[in-house]
Every structure is written in structure tokens, then in C-alpha cells.
Amino acid sequence: MDALTLGSEGTTRRAISFDVEVPVEYRIDGSEERVLVPLALIEKGTLRKVSTEDPAGHPLPVFGAWKNTRLAVEMLEALVPDFSQDSTSSRIQQDVLQDIVFAPAPETGEDNEEKRRAASENFIKWLQALQQAPENSGRTAYLETFGRLALSFLDHFLLVVEVKEDFVGTRCVLKFAYDSDLPILDEGNYVAATRMIIPDIGFARSQHIEVTVPTGLCARELRVVDLVDDGALDTKVDTPEGERSTAHVALAAAERTSVGEVLIEMIPAGPGIHSFTRLGLAVVSGLVAVGLAEKWDWVAVVTQEFKVPSQSASVLLIGPALFLSWMARSPEHDAVALLLKPLRLVLMYCTIVLLVLATAAAVPLTPEAWEIAWEAAFGGTLLAVVSYFAYLWNAPRAIARGATLVIAGFKAASSCLKNGANQIKRFLKRKKQKGRRLAKRRLRRQL
């Protein structure tokens, strides 16, 4: 069970429950009266607020980074067919596997990326040499599986815990939880998406994924894809009906080397800032529209006795105070901040419009300043309306996709033109060579 909770206080908590049984014949002795249990592959990086729990509810000892990586290297060495006992070959194999397991975490600088790239290339070369060895001619499938497993250690480390030997041979539940980072893929859209990778989903007989979004958002869709070599073998989708904050999917991976891709889509909850922004935008737009219609003498709303400055300015200032109160926020999750940011910008535009109108009503402006104030109010309202509908229609995502398609189209057209130019050059070259050969033949005949 893999539960991902996007907390309202701004944290992303990943809690994993392992329903396991440690076979007696595979026990690995650890410290006194304890055995080692490799639980999962976790993304590399600093773990925050780690908590563990054994079947009795007691904390589990967790190995540090160095011990974890050493055990991972030893595990991979044990999986290599006929691990060479020759000192030179053995050292090469150990170095290759250690470079993979001890590789730095991704996105930690150019120097580290170069180390990761070198470790990956050296491993692939070593694995290809191992596959071409005569004694491994019938182990192609096994070595491919081993290669995928080993390469997963580039981005992940092996989580190893110690449990009491009393639990060996019995089915039990072990729990592990930590704070994680979950980047938001789409910003400025009504539908926000985020993505998580489960590299060892194929190791479990079945995997349950549950996602809980923070207050103010709703889970629109949870999609879990079973991937092997970037190809989808199976897809499970949960599309909650109504406004729910939780989505759940169960998936049985097709192969042992399967990788799980979890895609989460979120939208703002109906009641809340979204409804208030829609109502506030309608009120401000209506107010500006009526004011412009009165100003251009299309309708008569204000009596001739109305004078500027007016006490109505205090009434207009209630709107900005109300809007700003909705934008004041306590600590919240990044997903909430990014998803509601466009709505808060719309409220900010409406606040500015009301402040301009209040200023125009409270201060006796010159005719030129009066015109500028109404133009600013109209421009701010138009900007708020356009921003809201662009957000509602996921315009940033559509623009990004359109730009990608345009760039791809330009590249394809450029490639076609280049190929066409090359073909024309080859045709002209062949024609020129043919003309030379014909000229030589005529010259020979004349001689």
C-alpha cells in the first residue's frame, strides 16, 4: 500500500505499508536476534521525518546510506551469473556495480550528471560483454532483467531494515513513511498535474496506490501505468465522482521489472476561492460595464445631483478589503499555491479596479485624469476576465503543446528541405558525371 498525502500544512507525506513474509531459507542475519529485510527502492536524496513501524508497533532500525549502498552492491554481485573469482575481473565488476549504486542523486549539478552518465555507460558496456560471453548464451533474458534492476540504482537506493527474528516465516506488515518532494508539472492551469515513479512495482504481487490532496483541491483523476522499457502494459484509472479529496487504484504488475508511473490530476474545489473569484469578477465586470454605459450616455443610472467627491468611496473600498482577505493565506501545499495563484491574480486585478473607482469617486479629478481612471478600470477588468477564462480553459498548457507542435513541424520541414536539397545535389552530381562520361565517349570516337 503506497499512500501519498499532500498535507494542508505544505508537506507531502509518503507512507508505504509492506505486507511481507520473510522465508526462513532466505533469512539474512543482522544484529543480535534480528534479520535484514530489503523493503523497497526509494529515490535518492535526504530523507526527512522518517518513521518506521514493525508488526508490534515498535520503530524499526534503518541502515544508514553507506550500509544500504554496500548491501545493494553485495546483492547485485550475488545476482551476477558466475561472479568471477579472478582478482582482476572481480575488481572490474565491483567497480562497475559500485559506480552505479554510489552514483549521485539526479539534478545535483553538472559534475554529478557527468559521473552518473559515465557510470551508466560503463555498466552497459560491461553488461554487453557479459552477454556476449559463451557461457551466458542462454541467459539473455535473465541478464536483461538484471540490467534493468541494476540501472534503477542510479536514481534510487535500497531501503533495508532490521526486524526481530520472531517474525521470520510469518506474514506481517511493516510500515515506512517520510516527507517527499512532488513537483507540479502544469502551472497556471485549471487542471494541475503531478507525477511519481514507483521503480519496484513489479516486485509486489499487487500494489495499492492512494492519493489524498489538500483542502481546497479535489482529485480529478489518478492514473497508474505499468511500464516496461517505456511501453505501457496496463493502465488503471480512478476518476472520482463528485468532489473527493482521495483517489485509489490497485494494480498487479505484468512483469518483475515493471516500473509504475503515477499521474495525479487536481482541480480547485467548487466551494471556496474559485466560487468567490467567479462571483467577484462578475460583480466588478458588471459595475464597470454599467459605469461605462452611464459615462457614454447609453443608460441613465446616476442622478444629476451626484457630486464628486462622494461618500460612495467607502462602499467601494469594502470590495478590496474582502478580496484581500481571501488572498491572505496560512502555510499551504505548493500544489494549492500554484493551482490557486491565477485565481488570486484575478482577485488582485479586481481589487485594483475597485481602488481606482473608489479614488475616482473620492477625489475631484481633472477631466483628463477622469478619462485615464476609467480606461484603467476598463483595462484591469478586461485583463481579469481574460486571465480567468485562460485559466479555466487551460490556455498555458494548450500554448505549450502548440509551441511544441510548431517546433516539431519546423524541425520536420527543415529535415525534409535538407533531404530534398541533398537529393537534388546528388541528382545534379550524377547528371554531371554522366555528361562527362558521354563527352569522353564522343571524344574517343572522334579520335
Side-chain angles (χ1 to χ4, degrees):
M1 178 70 181
D2 203 326
L4 194 68
T5 303
L6 284 69
S8 299
E9 66 280 4
T11 60
T12 301
R13 188 74 173 168
R14 185 183 180 190
I16 313 172
S17 299
F18 304 91
D19 186 353
V20 298
E21 178 180 344
V22 181
V24 177
E25 60 271 21
Y26 292 132
R27 64 175 288 168
I28 305 173
D29 292 327
S31 57
E32 185 176 355
E33 298 182 349
R34 290 183 177 274
V35 296
L36 304 182
V37 179
L39 285 183
L41 292 175
I42 306 295
E43 63 272 13
K44 289 182 177 179
T46 304
L47 294 181
R48 304 187 301 274
K49 296 183 180 180
V50 176
S51 64
T52 59
E53 188 177 309
D54 68 7
H58 300 135
L60 288 168
V62 179
F63 280 4
W66 190 86
K67 280 191 175 181
N68 269 318
T69 48
R70 282 305 313 162
L71 284 171
V73 172
E74 292 177 7
M75 181 193 74
L76 292 176
E77 289 177 352
L79 293 175
V80 177
D82 300 329
F83 189 75
S84 176
Q85 299 301 318
D86 175 72
S87 59
T88 303
S89 301
S90 175
R91 188 59 194 169
I92 292 174
Q93 291 173 339
Q94 289 179 0
D95 290 342
V96 169
L97 296 177
Q98 284 181 6
D99 289 345
I100 286 287
V101 175
F102 283 89
E107 299 180 0
T108 54
E110 295 183 3
D111 293 340
N112 287 339
E113 285 300 322
E114 184 61 32
K115 292 178 182 178
R116 288 166 50 80
R117 187 161 44 249
S120 176
E121 292 174 355
N122 292 336
F123 174 80
I124 292 174
K125 291 178 182 178
W126 170 78
L127 184 64
Q128 289 174 347
L130 198 64
Q131 291 173 329
Q132 294 171 2
E135 60 270 19
N136 294 324
S137 57
R139 298 175 176 174
T140 303
Y142 175 84
L143 289 174
E144 288 178 355
T145 302
F146 168 77
R148 295 193 194 103
L149 174 62
L151 285 174
S152 64
F153 282 92
L154 266 177
D155 301 329
H156 303 83
F157 72 91
L158 181 66
L159 173 65
V160 181
V161 299
E162 284 189 322
V163 301
K164 293 181 179 179
E165 61 181 6
D166 300 341
F167 299 118
V168 175
T170 61
R171 187 174 177 178
C172 59
V173 176
L174 306 177
K175 297 180 180 179
F176 175 76
Y178 66 101
D179 282 357
S180 177
D181 293 324
L182 202 64
I184 304 301
L185 302 180
D186 293 325
E187 297 183 19
N189 296 287
Y190 176 69
V191 179
T194 186
R195 177 175 174 266
M196 181 180 71
I197 296 295
I198 304 177
D200 53 357
I201 196 171
F203 285 23
R205 188 168 297 175
S206 66
Q207 183 93 12
H208 294 256
I209 295 96
E210 184 177 275
V211 176
T212 303
V213 301
T215 304
L217 302 183
C218 293
R220 181 175 183 264
E221 181 181 277
L222 172 61
R223 181 183 299 268
V224 182
V225 184
D226 182 5
L227 296 173
V228 174
D229 292 338
D230 296 329
L233 297 180
D234 192 12
T235 302
K236 299 292 183 182
V237 181
D238 180 20
T239 306
E241 296 181 0
E243 294 191 349
R244 279 171 42 195
S245 61
T246 303
H248 178 272
V249 162
L251 175 70
E255 296 186 13
R256 179 59 63 88
T257 56
S258 292
V259 174
E261 183 183 45
V262 181
L263 299 172
I264 308 157
E265 289 188 350
M266 300 165 285
I267 59 175
I273 189 174
H274 189 199
S275 299
F276 181 78
T277 302
R278 187 165 55 240
L279 177 61
L281 182 61
V283 170
V284 172
S285 300
L287 179 63
V288 172
V290 171
L292 289 174
E294 170 70 29
K295 180 177 179 295
W296 293 331
D297 296 328
W298 292 351
V299 295
V301 179
V302 181
T303 64
Q304 296 295 327
E305 289 77 17
F306 179 79
K307 300 294 183 181
V308 176
S310 169
Q311 297 298 324
S312 62
S314 59
V315 177
L316 290 172
L317 288 175
I318 295 175
L322 192 58
F323 291 164
L324 291 173
S325 69
W326 273 88
M327 286 185 285
R329 27 172 208 161
S330 57
E332 60 187 6
H333 197 277
D334 288 345
V336 178
L338 291 174
L339 195 56
L340 301 185
K341 181 180 178 181
L343 295 178
R344 288 172 175 147
L345 284 176
V346 171
L347 287 178
M348 181 62 73
Y349 299 148
C350 292
T351 300
I352 294 173
V353 169
L354 290 180
L355 287 174
V356 170
L357 294 179
T359 302
V363 180
L365 301 175
T366 63
E368 293 80 6
W370 182 263
E371 294 294 332
I372 293 174
W374 275 105
E375 289 175 1
F378 174 74
T381 305
L382 182 62
L383 179 60
V385 171
V386 171
S387 299
Y388 176 73
F389 283 102
Y391 166 75
L392 202 62
W393 295 335
N394 298 309
R397 182 185 299 175
I399 292 172
R401 290 178 178 175
T404 302
L405 290 175
V406 169
I407 292 173
F410 275 123
K411 288 183 177 179
S414 176
S415 178
C416 290
L417 290 174
K418 187 176 181 180
N419 291 334
N422 290 334
Q423 290 179 359
I424 292 173
K425 287 180 180 179
R426 286 195 292 269
F427 172 77
L428 293 176
K429 185 177 180 180
R430 287 195 299 268
K431 189 174 182 181
K432 188 176 182 179
Q433 291 174 348
K434 186 176 180 181
R436 288 177 179 175
R437 287 195 297 268
L438 291 174
K440 289 181 179 179
R441 289 177 184 174
R442 292 195 192 99
L443 182 61
R444 288 173 184 170
R445 290 173 183 172
Q446 291 174 1
L447 294 175

